[in-house]
């Protein structure tokens, strides 16, 4: 994983122990430290009910050299300060504390400091206090990562020419990396990842011949890599991933004979992937290819590795043919990611026997059955075979891989029953069996994220899922029956998709009891009855699709009380984006892929037997981007209040029995791009103004009782005449169907899991 240094960092923070020295520290240094502590304590205690305890041992009666997080030289002056994660909020109350980095000022008087770690304090945004750091000229080790420093690297920092270790990762630093970097002549570690640095790597950086660890990932650096990089012969760790580097991989890198970890993925490198990479004997982790990459694997080359790799990620490298057999020589392999290539043939038996922890082969053309041997592994944690042509049944012994946490075989040609033994996989966080031909009844199974959509699974609508279930994608199967009451026990459920099932019974008993639901898709489920008045108890709903059912009655005016739909700003949502990526919407004849689901708010009641009038209260749903009530039996006028739907982009009221005129208030809607009022009994002038003036799709106005306006080139009585014209066009049926699909991104997901396991800061890490 490219995230290795992060874990190293975290580990070093939590497991570094401090040594007790024998001399007492100078008074002025002790006072500086006490000053720091008292400022911090005051701020902390004013913000949190929790008492500040982190610097408990720092008291005025004892020798500061005996304090925790402090270390002194043999002569008694303070040389080391371990202040990582001291100014950060308590984990149960994760909110930025916004302490100014001014709090560091007293520390800048401790000139004897050689080792200073202030990482993970998430200081209030502001620039690095260059004046202060510039005074600490004895520093050998400086760690400022995971704060909110912005601006560029201050020039005073380059006075710290003794530095061996410099970490500034995970800040908001920007600007070019200047030639001044060359002044850190003794540097062995440089971590600048996850900032916004841009421009090329200065040649002076490649003159830092003592460098062992260089981490520049997740910046906006670009240009070619100079062959000078070959001078860094002591490098063991090099991560340039997720930048915009171009050109070939310089052949001088063959000189990096101590390299253990090399990450070049997600750049725009081009050319052939050099096979000398595999001759670097020390190499353990190789990440290459990825999005944006133009690197090509030469199919004809024979690889005879001299390295023993533990992690191989060669995604989107154009590798064709069978899964390369040289991989079988890599006996220590832990992670294999060959997704997005052009691999063909079967899942090799030798691969199943390698007991690898993570196997990601998604987006290839592999076929055949999965060898049961794979599931005899007690190490397998991640298996992603999505989007290949694998077929046959899932092996019956799949339940033997009890360590598995991520299992995705979506979009293959698997068939048959889902093996019963899958019930034994209780550690699953993600299970994605969607878009295959699995049939029969569902065994008991569970995962936080469960996608079974678009198979032929039958039986009652299942609900015996574990309580931790968050996402349930069950649509496109042959489930039938009533909505099980046990669904209300899923207190973490946020997404429920049951489209194309047959649901009998009423919504009102179940739905309001799942207040956590954010996305509910019950399209084409033969629902009868009314939309319950108490639907507004679903206080988290953002996306509701009840289209193509047999709902009767009228639209309850209480619908307008749905808090997230009526919010005045985009509702904040913490559905993990790594797991929920795209939602594909069929909109008219084109299918549209919605990224970032958390930004969408929609209501679709089309294709039912809903009657009555449009409640004026619907104008409250200010967050709505799409409203579709077409193909119903709704009568009366279009309420003026719909002009309050400021975010609405698409409004479809077609195929109803609406009469009166289109309210002029719609002319205020600046985000409206689609308005379909066709097949009603509307009359009068189509409103003008802003977006309305651009609505010239004739079919969206046709079959009414006398609309006029410039949009359809029909002059209204009293207007200045213009060209006339009318186009009769067949309107297709309900215009907005949507199909949802979630595409998990295994790497992102995996790192999320790992970070969750460290579970201190949650999602704010990435
Ligand atoms: C001060 O700290 C020392 C050791 O860190 C401890 O032994 C002592 O009891 C503390 N004194 C007070 C007043 O807290
Ligand atoms: C810190 O600042 C952020 C953004 O300005 C704000 O959302 C947050 O509430 C602040 N935290 C505290 C503890 O005041
Ligand atoms: C840095 O040192 C200079 C003198 O050497 C002093 O005037 C200045 O106050 C110091 N700055 C800080 C922030 O300690
Ligand atoms: C850094 O952040 C602070 C506070 O948000 C802002 O006032 C300042 O302009 C920023 N500096 C730079 C160089 O972006
Ligand atoms: C490279 O590492 C070796 C062994 O750790 C060390 O002796 C040598 O001085 C280093 N080279 C440079 C240029 O720092
Ligand atoms: C490797 O083979 C694939 C398909 O057979 C082809 O598209 C690709 O261009 C070949 N690559 C090279 C470098 O020859
Ligand atoms: C692939 O490698 C072979 C042998 O090294 C070479 O002859 C050939 O030109 C390369 N093919 C491409 C497309 O670069
Ligand atoms: C699962 O593993 C156990 C122990 O290794 C073995 O006895 C059993 O036969 C396996 N089950 C299947 C279905 O392969
Ligand atoms: C689940 O595991 C238990 C214990 O290892 C085993 O006895 C049982 O047969 C397994 N169930 C299935 C359906 O494989
Ligand atoms: C509903 O849940 C209860 C207890 O949690 C369980 O005993 C029962 O079998 C479940 N019913 C269904 C149909 O899954
Ligand atoms: C739809 O509902 C109406 C009224 O409840 C009923 O008469 C009709 O049979 C239903 N149609 C279907 C297809 O269920
Ligand atoms: C579009 O919607 C946004 C809310 O997302 C709103 O702030 C903005 O005013 C709307 N634009 C126009 C032109 O009405």
């Amino acid at each position: 994983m490219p995230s290795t240094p992060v874990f190293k960092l975290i580990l070093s923070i939590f497991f570094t122990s401090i040594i007790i020295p024998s001399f007492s520290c100078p008074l002025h240094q002790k006072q500086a430290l006490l000053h720091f502590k008292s400022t911090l304590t005051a701020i902390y205690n004013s913000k949190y009910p929790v008492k500040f305890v982190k610097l408990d041992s720092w008291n005025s009666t004892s020798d500061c050299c005996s304090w925790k997080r402090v270390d002194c030289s043999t002569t008694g002056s303070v040389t080391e300060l371990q202040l990582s994660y001291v100014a950060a909020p308590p984990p149960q109350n994760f909110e930025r504390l916004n302490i100014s980095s001014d709090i560091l000022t007293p520390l800048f008087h401790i000139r004897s400091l050689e080792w200073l770690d202030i990482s993970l304090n998430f200081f209030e945004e502001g620039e690095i206090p260059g004046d202060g750091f510039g005074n600490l000229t004895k520093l050998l080790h400086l760690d400022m990562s995971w704060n909110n420093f912005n601006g560029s690297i201050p020039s005073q920092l380059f006075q710290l020419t003794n530095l061996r270790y410099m970490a500034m990762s995970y800040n908001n630093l920007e600007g070019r990396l200047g030639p001044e970097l060359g002044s850190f002549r003794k540097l062995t570690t440089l971590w600048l990842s996850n900032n916004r640095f841009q421009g090329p790597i200065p040649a002076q950086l490649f003159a830092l011949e003592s460098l062992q660890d260089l981490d520049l990932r997740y910046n906006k650096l670009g240009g070619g890599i100079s062959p000078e990089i070959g001078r860094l012969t002591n490098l063991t760790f090099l991560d340039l991933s997720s930048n915009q580097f171009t050109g070939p991989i310089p052949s001088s890198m063959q000189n990096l004979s101590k390299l253990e970890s090399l990450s070049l993925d997600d750049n725009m490198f081009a050319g052939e992937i050099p096979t000398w990479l595999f001759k670097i004997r020390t190499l353990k982790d190789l990440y290459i290819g990825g999005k944006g990459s133009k690197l090509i694997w030469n199919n004809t080359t024979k690889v005879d590795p001299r390295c023993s790799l533990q992690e191989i990620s060669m995604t989107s490298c154009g590798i064709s043919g069978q899964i390369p057999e040289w991989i079988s020589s890599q006996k220590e392999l832990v992670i294999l990611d060959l997704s997005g290539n052009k691999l063909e043939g079967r899942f090799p038996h030798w691969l199943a026997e390698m007991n690898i922890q993570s196997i990601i082969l998604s987006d290839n053309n592999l076929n055949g059955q999965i060898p049961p041997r794979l599931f005899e592994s007690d190490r397998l944690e991640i298996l992603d075979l999505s989007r290949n042509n694998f077929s046959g049944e899932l092996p019956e012994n799949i339940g033997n891989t009890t360590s598995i946490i991520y299992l995705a075989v979506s979009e293959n040609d698997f068939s048959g029953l889902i093996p019963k033994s899958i019930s034994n996989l209780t550690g699953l966080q993600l299970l994605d069996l969607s878009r295959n031909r699995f049939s029969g009844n569902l065994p008991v199974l569970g995962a936080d994220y469960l996608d079974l959509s678009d198979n032929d699974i039958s039986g009652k609508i299942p609900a015996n899922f574990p309580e931790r279930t968050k996402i349930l994608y069950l649509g496109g199967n042959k489930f039938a029956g009533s909505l099980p009451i046990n669904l209300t026990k899923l207190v973490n459920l946020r997404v429920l998709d049951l489209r194309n099932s047959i649901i009998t019974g009423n919504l009102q008993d179940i739905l309001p009891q799942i207040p956590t639901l954010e996305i509910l898709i019950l399209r084409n489920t033969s629902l009868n009855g009314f939309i319950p008045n108490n639907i507004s108890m679903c206080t988290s709903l953002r996306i509701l699709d009840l289209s193509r059912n047999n709902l009767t009655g009228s639209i309850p005016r209480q619908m307008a009380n749905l808090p997230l739909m009526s919010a005045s700003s985009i509702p904040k949502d913490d559905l993990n984006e790594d797991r929920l990526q795209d939602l594909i919407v069929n909109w008219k004849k084109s299918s549209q892929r919605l990224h970032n689901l958390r930004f969408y708010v929609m209501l679709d009641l089309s294709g039912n037997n809903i009657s009555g009038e449009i409640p004026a209260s619907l104008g409250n749903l200010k967050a709505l981007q799409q409203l579709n009530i077409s193909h119903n039996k709704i009568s009366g006028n279009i309420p003026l209040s719909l002009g309050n739907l400021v975010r609405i982009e698409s409004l479809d009221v077609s195929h109803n029995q609406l009469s009166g005129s289109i309210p002029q208030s719609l002319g205020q809607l600046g985000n409206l791009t689609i308005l379909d009022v066709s097949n009603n009994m509307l009359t009068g002038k189509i409103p003008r103004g802003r977006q309305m003036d651009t609505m010239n799709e004739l079919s969206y106005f046709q079959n009414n009782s006398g609309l006029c306006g410039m949009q359809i080139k029909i002059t209204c009585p009293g207007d200045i005449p213009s060209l006339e014209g009318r186009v009769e066009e067949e309107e297709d049926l309900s215009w907005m169907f949507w199909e949802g699909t979630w595409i998990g991104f295994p790497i992102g997901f995996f790192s999320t899991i790992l970070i969750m396991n460290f579970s201190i800061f949650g999602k704010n890490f990435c």
Side-chain angles (χ1 to χ4, degrees):
M1 292 283 112
S3 359
T4 312
V6 179
F7 304 131
K8 269 198 222 160
L9 168 71
I10 293 172
L11 289 174
S12 75
I13 284 153
F14 291 100
F15 302 108
T16 307
S17 54
I18 303 322
I19 302 135
I20 319 272
S22 48
F23 283 79
S24 60
C25 72
L27 186 61
H28 75 276
Q29 297 194 338
K30 179 172 178 174
Q31 278 165 346
L33 292 174
L34 287 171
H35 184 181
F36 173 81
K37 179 185 173 180
S38 66
T39 318
L40 187 56
T41 311
I43 298 173
Y44 197 97
N45 290 346
S46 72
K47 297 216 179 183
Y48 294 111
V50 194
K51 193 171 162 281
F52 182 80
V53 291
K54 291 212 174 104
L55 302 175
D56 249 8
S57 65
W58 291 23
N59 64 38
S60 53
T61 55
S62 55
D63 171 13
C64 79
C65 291
S66 70
W67 297 348
K68 284 189 181 144
R69 296 170 174 267
V70 180
D71 197 8
C72 297
S73 67
T74 48
T75 57
S77 44
V78 174
T79 52
E80 294 196 14
L81 277 179
Q82 165 55 277
L83 299 177
S84 171
Y85 198 50
V86 285
Q92 68 273 22
N93 195 352
F94 193 82
E95 194 191 7
R96 276 161 51 187
L97 198 49
N98 303 333
I99 293 181
S100 159
S101 63
D102 288 347
I103 195 171
L104 299 171
T105 307
L107 307 182
F108 297 135
H109 297 290
I110 308 180
R111 302 290 177 92
S112 52
L113 271 184
E114 293 173 5
W115 204 97
L116 177 61
D117 183 351
I118 56 162
S119 65
L120 283 157
N121 286 311
F122 306 97
F123 290 121
E124 184 179 61
E125 183 156 275
E127 294 178 34
I128 296 175
D131 279 338
F133 283 112
N135 279 359
L136 303 179
T137 51
K138 294 220 167 89
L139 277 182
L140 306 175
H141 178 113
L142 177 56
D143 190 343
M144 303 193 267
S145 1
W146 301 96
N147 286 301
N148 290 305
F149 290 124
N150 65 356
S152 49
I153 304 177
S155 59
Q156 298 94 327
L157 229 50
F158 299 110
Q159 297 164 17
L160 309 182
T161 53
N162 286 315
L163 278 180
R164 266 47 167 198
Y165 181 107
M166 163 73 108
M168 301 199 273
S169 302
Y170 295 90
N171 281 290
N172 300 315
L173 298 168
E174 61 193 7
R176 296 165 80 89
L177 298 179
E180 306 91 334
L181 272 180
S183 57
F184 295 134
R185 280 185 308 278
K186 298 175 183 163
L187 217 52
T188 58
T189 300
L190 182 59
W191 284 2
L192 300 178
S193 75
N194 297 76
N195 280 292
R196 288 178 285 170
F197 292 116
Q198 49 178 310
I201 301 181
Q204 288 80 0
L205 183 60
F206 298 133
L208 305 179
E209 290 179 5
S210 309
L211 268 185
Q212 293 168 6
D213 289 356
L214 178 58
D215 185 358
L216 301 177
R217 88 199 121 107
Y218 285 104
N219 277 291
K220 296 175 179 168
L221 298 165
I225 304 290
S226 156
E228 296 279 293
I229 196 169
R231 292 173 67 182
L232 302 180
T233 51
N234 266 358
L235 269 188
T236 56
F237 178 94
L238 176 61
D239 194 338
L240 304 179
S241 60
S242 301
N243 279 289
Q244 293 150 20
F245 293 117
T246 53
I249 299 176
S251 66
S252 63
M253 283 175 71
Q254 295 178 72
N255 299 345
L256 308 183
S257 60
K258 294 182 182 171
L259 205 54
E260 291 175 14
S261 177
L262 176 63
S263 303
L264 302 174
D265 51 312
D266 297 344
N267 276 292
M268 296 184 290
F269 287 117
E272 212 168 283
I273 296 176
T275 49
W276 49 252
L277 285 172
F278 304 97
K279 307 265 187 234
I280 303 177
R281 286 172 193 276
T282 48
L283 200 61
K284 292 193 171 349
D285 304 339
L286 176 64
Y287 286 78
I288 205 164
K291 56 174 186 286
S293 169
K294 300 184 184 101
L295 289 170
I296 292 291
W297 182 255
N298 184 334
N299 307 318
T300 64
T301 43
K302 293 268 176 292
V303 179
D304 175 19
R306 301 221 183 112
C307 50
S308 184
L309 293 168
Q310 294 171 359
E311 301 179 11
I312 301 177
S313 171
M314 297 176 65
T315 64
S316 308
C317 292
I319 310 176
S320 63
Q322 310 250 326
I323 295 181
E325 210 166 333
W326 61 262
I327 291 173
S328 64
S329 68
Q330 306 297 294
K331 302 294 183 208
E332 294 171 90
L333 204 55
V334 178
I335 294 174
L336 177 65
D337 185 352
L338 297 175
S339 57
N341 285 295
K342 296 173 185 163
L343 295 167
E344 300 162 351
R346 302 184 164 246
F347 193 112
H349 212 268
W350 55 257
L351 183 56
E353 284 171 353
M354 285 180 76
N355 291 339
I356 298 175
Q357 180 194 299
S358 300
I359 301 180
I360 301 166
L361 298 173
S362 50
D363 299 288
N364 280 291
N365 299 315
L366 297 162
N367 59 35
Q369 306 204 0
I370 315 183
R373 173 64 184 83
L374 183 60
F375 301 108
E376 284 172 31
S377 163
D378 56 0
R379 284 180 77 194
L380 190 64
E381 289 180 10
I382 294 184
L383 179 65
D384 191 346
L385 305 178
S386 305
R387 294 171 298 280
N388 279 287
N389 298 319
F390 287 112
S391 58
E393 302 193 358
L394 286 183
E396 194 56 50
N397 69 341
I398 197 166
N400 261 13
T401 50
T402 45
S403 48
I404 202 159
I405 52 179
Y406 185 111
L407 176 57
V409 301
S410 168
E411 290 187 57
N412 279 284
D413 196 28
F414 289 110
S415 56
L417 298 176
I418 298 172
K420 284 216 159 48
S421 69
I422 211 164
S423 313
N424 273 355
L425 302 181
T426 50
L428 276 177
Q429 301 202 6
L430 179 143
L431 177 60
D432 185 354
L433 306 180
S434 64
R435 291 162 199 251
N436 282 287
R437 294 187 292 126
F438 291 112
S439 57
N441 288 349
L442 199 63
V444 176
L445 43 72
D448 300 17
Y449 174 117
L450 184 57
D451 190 349
L452 303 175
S453 55
D454 300 304
N455 281 289
D456 292 321
I457 308 168
S458 51
K460 288 188 176 168
I461 295 169
N464 44 359
F465 300 108
E467 198 180 288
R468 61 195 163 94
T469 312
K470 293 194 182 88
I471 316 288
L472 266 184
Y473 236 107
L474 305 173
N477 282 292
K478 294 180 174 158
F479 292 119
S482 55
L483 277 184
I485 190 82
N486 274 11
L487 279 179
T488 63
K489 293 183 181 155
L490 303 181
V491 293
N492 295 302
L493 193 62
R494 307 171 78 172
V495 179
L496 178 61
D497 167 22
L498 272 168
R499 87 196 122 81
N500 303 356
S501 306
I502 299 178
I503 301 180
T504 52
N506 278 320
L507 283 181
Q508 62 251 37
D509 304 329
I510 308 293
L511 196 50
Q513 293 185 57
I514 320 177
T516 47
L517 264 190
E518 292 170 28
I519 301 180
L520 177 62
I521 301 176
L522 296 178
R523 180 166 79 93
N524 188 24
T525 50
S526 310
L527 277 178
N528 276 289
F530 305 91
I531 301 175
N533 288 345
N534 56 4
I535 191 153
S536 55
M537 288 169 73
C538 292
T539 49
S540 307
L541 266 189
R542 291 186 295 118
I543 296 183
L544 175 60
D545 182 357
L546 299 177
S547 64
R548 302 226 269 157
N549 286 299
N550 192 21
L551 296 168
T552 52
S554 52
I555 302 176
R557 74 189 144 68
Q558 290 88 341
M559 196 125 209
N561 300 337
L562 284 168
L564 289 190
M565 291 196 188
S566 51
S568 55
S569 58
I570 299 174
K572 220 171 121 187
D573 174 30
D574 50 350
L575 275 179
N576 189 317
E577 281 171 73
D578 284 334
R579 283 185 251 183
L580 291 183
Q581 289 212 330
D582 299 349
L583 178 66
I584 294 175
V585 176
N586 274 337
W587 184 320
K588 275 290 207 181
K589 279 151 201 139
S590 74
S591 155
Q592 215 166 300
R593 187 175 276 258
L594 305 185
H595 302 292
N596 255 332
L597 266 187
R598 60 205 193 102
F599 294 126
Y600 289 91
V601 183
M602 307 179 203
L603 178 57
D604 190 347
L605 304 176
S606 64
N608 281 288
N609 274 317
I610 298 171
S611 54
E613 303 199 347
I614 303 176
S617 63
L618 279 199
N620 262 353
L621 301 179
K622 292 193 181 62
L624 272 192
Q625 291 148 312
Q626 301 192 30
L627 174 61
N628 188 352
I629 55 171
S630 68
H631 293 91
N632 279 293
K633 294 182 178 149
I634 299 169
S635 55
N637 294 339
I638 301 177
L640 207 62
S641 63
L642 294 197
N644 296 334
L645 301 176
V646 284
R647 292 187 69 212
I648 201 98
E649 292 169 30
S650 159
L651 176 58
D652 190 353
V653 300
S654 68
H655 293 270
N656 278 296
Q657 295 156 12
L658 296 165
S659 55
S661 59
I662 306 173
Q664 295 297 318
S665 60
L666 297 193
Q668 302 160 19
L669 299 176
N671 290 317
L672 195 64
T673 53
I674 293 192
L675 172 67
D676 191 345
V677 298
S678 67
N679 298 286
N680 280 292
M681 300 180 297
L682 297 163
T683 54
K685 183 174 177 174
I686 299 169
R688 295 288 310 269
R690 301 178 82 174
Q691 291 301 104
M692 278 312 301
D693 288 352
T694 66
M695 302 282 163
N696 53 8
E697 177 67 47
L698 297 177
S699 59
Y700 292 168
F701 295 101
Q702 72 186 5
N703 289 336
N704 273 292
S705 307
L707 284 174
C708 63
M710 50 78 72
Q711 294 92 340
I712 54 174
K713 304 198 176 92
I714 297 178
T715 317
C716 294
D719 279 358
I720 303 157
S722 72
L723 273 178
E724 289 204 4
R726 226 175 201 284
V727 175
E728 311 289 343
E729 230 179 59
E730 263 312 301
E731 172 65 333
D732 60 340
L733 272 176
S734 164
W735 62 265
M736 195 186 136
F737 313 146
W738 40 299
E739 306 274 349
T741 186
W742 313 105
I743 297 163
F745 182 57
I747 296 286
F749 178 75
F750 184 49
S751 55
T752 308
I753 292 173
L754 290 178
I755 285 167
M756 282 184 329
N757 289 346
F758 277 92
S759 85
I760 327 158
F761 312 102
K763 69 196 167 65
N764 294 26
F765 258 34
C766 289

